[in-house]
Amino acid sequence: MSAAGLSFLLFLLLTLSELSLKAASTTHWGDVEVLKELKNGLDPGSISPGSCLSSWDFSVDPCDHVFSDHFTCGFRCDAMDVSGHSRVTEISLDQAGYSGSISSSSWDLPYLHTLDLSNNFLSGQIPNSISNLTTLQRLTLSTNMLSGEIPSSIGSLSTLEELYLDNNWFEGTVPTSLTNMGSLRRLEIQGNKLSGEVPDMGALKSLSFFDCSDNSFIGGVPVDFPSSVVEISMRNNSLEGNLPSNIGDMGFLQVLDLSHNRLNGPVFSVLFNHPSLQQLTLSHNNFSYLQVPGTLGTQSELIALDVSNNGLQGMLPAFLGMMPRLAVLSLENNMFTGMIPPQYAVKAVFPVEGASSFERLLLGGNYLFGPIPRALLNLKPGNSNVSLVDNCLFRCPQSYFFCRGAVQKSSVACRSFGLVLIP
């Protein structure tokens, strides 16, 4: 036999051997290739002994050796395709400090439901091939060193329910294609370098949790959130303008945090009559006044309210002391004047059955004057944490205007006198 014939025969035998191994393999050969690509894309020096990836030994079949001495963790096989092969349905790497890139993988895993690579040191960009994960329900890339823009191809993951891209180095704008994911329930993109305006979320009919805090977003708060939303956090951006007037239409909203922005105008009364809102944080903005609700807050579900460090003016609103469930109230560092309403003192000192007392009442840094309510002076240890420092109480003049004049001349002359009651 000639050398050429011998070479062809050897090639044929190797090909048949490979096909035979693929046929006998429990794991679909395409899934094995993706697992290999994932491991090969990482820095070998970051794969420490005892980690999940250190047990990935491709001399044996992955799905057939799960929880043996090989392939001890990091992925899961469940589904069986029409050919009888096991398919990889979950990849969840341990937090072992893996570094390297995921951009060289084809991500051709049609049965994958969960991909969790969080809390490592992965770098580079999210590849467009991520769109190959057509049945993915949960994508978690949190707390890595991924960079670049969020690819628009990620919006083609129509079955995705949870998307975690938080605490990376992503930049640029949020692709509008994200709003195509009608099954998305949770979207976390906080702690990046994202900019531009936050797109309207109204198309995400299943969305319940949204967090875009600690970025560089500009523009206003989106007016179009789905009625299903439960929690919104957009703190520490550069958002401007008024609050959305339709915020009361979010009938399931429980938590709203818009602190550390540049929002202004009124704090709408609908927030104090909201049927489900429990925690409202609007501190460190430029809000100017609180609208008084027609029900005086007696139907409010609020448990915690923080509107400190704004420019709120007017008399200290008495209705805040009438909210049945309110336990934490911070009005510090505003421009409130007048005397402390007796409702505040009663709520802080005298428990009422079926209603919450003030656990924390922070009124410091305003222009409050006059006597401190006697009930607060009789506050007993274990009742409340009350702060009245930096006001015009006790030793300062009773006149607000004289007090304010003294402040302009010397802050020590007036607002330094106050009271802190910390049991």
Side-chain angles (χ1 to χ4, degrees):
M1 181 178 293
S2 65
L6 184 61
S7 298
F8 175 77
L9 180 60
L10 181 60
F11 171 77
L12 183 61
L13 289 174
L14 289 174
T15 302
L16 291 174
S17 176
E18 183 178 353
L19 291 174
S20 177
L21 286 173
K22 287 181 178 180
S25 175
T26 298
T27 312
H28 188 277
W29 66 271
D31 293 8
V32 177
E33 290 303 311
V34 174
L35 294 178
K36 288 180 179 179
E37 290 171 354
L38 174 58
K39 184 174 181 179
N40 292 337
L42 302 184
D43 180 4
S46 68
I47 302 176
S48 58
S51 65
C52 285
L53 281 177
S54 67
S55 72
W56 287 18
D57 179 1
F58 293 100
S59 65
V60 297
D61 184 85
C63 292
D64 200 31
H65 286 78
V66 174
F67 306 122
S68 67
D69 291 338
H70 308 281
F71 297 101
T72 58
C73 59
F75 75 104
R76 176 174 177 171
C77 301
D78 280 322
M80 300 288 288
D81 62 15
V82 292
S83 63
H85 287 111
S86 295
R87 305 305 298 256
V88 175
T89 58
E90 178 179 341
I91 297 178
S92 296
L93 296 186
D94 49 339
Q95 301 171 17
Y98 302 118
S99 62
S101 172
I102 60 172
S103 57
S104 60
S105 176
S106 64
W107 292 114
D108 189 10
L109 295 170
Y111 289 81
L112 194 71
H113 295 160
T114 299
L115 177 59
D116 186 347
L117 309 178
S118 60
N119 293 283
N120 282 289
F121 297 99
L122 304 178
S123 57
Q125 300 184 4
I126 299 177
N128 286 324
S129 58
I130 203 79
S131 61
N132 291 334
L133 303 175
T134 53
T135 61
L136 197 66
Q137 297 175 3
R138 187 171 186 265
L139 176 58
T140 306
L141 302 176
S142 306
T143 317
N144 277 288
M145 301 169 64
L146 299 171
S147 59
E149 296 188 353
I150 299 173
S152 60
S153 59
I154 207 169
S156 64
L157 301 177
S158 59
T159 61
L160 201 65
E161 297 179 0
E162 299 179 38
L163 177 58
Y164 302 86
L165 303 177
D166 54 288
N167 297 294
N168 280 283
W169 295 349
F170 294 120
E171 57 188 3
T173 59
V174 176
T176 56
S177 63
L178 286 187
T179 60
N180 296 332
M181 296 187 288
S183 300
L184 198 65
R185 295 186 289 106
R186 193 176 186 100
L187 176 57
E188 297 198 28
I189 54 176
Q190 70 270 22
N192 283 288
K193 301 177 181 180
L194 298 170
S195 57
E197 296 190 5
V198 180
D200 284 334
M201 299 288 168
L204 302 178
K205 300 300 183 182
S206 302
L207 190 68
S208 61
F209 184 99
F210 175 65
D211 193 342
C212 69
S213 303
D214 303 309
N215 279 289
S216 299
F217 288 115
I218 60 174
V221 178
V223 299
D224 193 12
F225 274 99
S227 58
S228 59
V229 71
V230 173
E231 183 169 342
I232 299 173
S233 183
M234 304 178 73
R235 66 181 179 275
N236 198 23
N237 280 286
S238 298
L239 303 177
E240 298 179 321
N242 295 351
L243 293 173
S245 58
N246 64 340
I247 202 166
D249 297 336
M250 305 175 198
F252 297 99
L253 186 64
Q254 296 181 8
V255 177
L256 178 61
D257 186 349
L258 301 175
S259 59
H260 293 270
N261 280 288
R262 302 171 186 172
L263 300 171
N264 53 42
V267 179
F268 295 128
S269 60
V270 67
L271 293 170
F272 307 117
N273 279 333
H274 199 281
S276 60
L277 189 62
Q278 299 178 14
Q279 181 178 326
L280 177 61
T281 307
L282 301 176
S283 58
H284 295 274
N285 277 288
N286 299 313
F287 291 110
S288 53
Y289 67 98
L290 304 180
Q291 287 185 349
V292 180
T295 62
L296 298 179
T298 55
Q299 299 178 8
S300 175
E301 294 293 315
L302 274 176
I303 297 173
L305 172 63
D306 185 354
V307 289
S308 62
N309 295 279
N310 278 282
L312 298 172
Q313 302 182 36
M315 304 289 283
L316 204 61
F319 77 89
L320 295 176
M322 301 168 63
M323 292 183 171
R325 301 189 63 193
L326 192 63
V328 177
L329 175 62
S330 179
L331 302 176
E332 290 184 308
N333 300 318
N334 280 290
M335 301 177 68
F336 287 116
T337 184
M339 294 188 290
I340 299 173
Q343 292 91 337
Y344 286 37
V346 171
K347 189 172 178 62
V349 180
F350 301 111
V352 176
E353 186 176 356
S356 300
S357 299
F358 277 136
E359 297 176 6
R360 191 158 64 247
L361 176 61
L362 308 179
L363 304 178
N366 284 286
Y367 297 103
L368 306 178
F369 58 80
I372 297 174
R374 184 177 299 275
L376 289 181
L377 295 176
N378 295 328
L379 190 67
K380 297 179 181 180
N383 285 82
S384 302
N385 178 339
V386 179
S387 175
L388 309 176
V389 298
D390 201 19
N391 274 290
C392 302
L393 302 167
F394 266 148
R395 305 182 188 180
C396 284
Q398 297 292 312
S399 169
Y400 161 68
F401 297 102
F402 184 67
C403 170
R404 188 178 178 90
V407 172
Q408 293 173 346
K409 294 179 181 179
S410 171
S411 60
V412 179
C414 182
R415 293 182 71 191
S416 61
F417 293 99
L419 176 66
V420 180
L421 303 173
I422 303 178

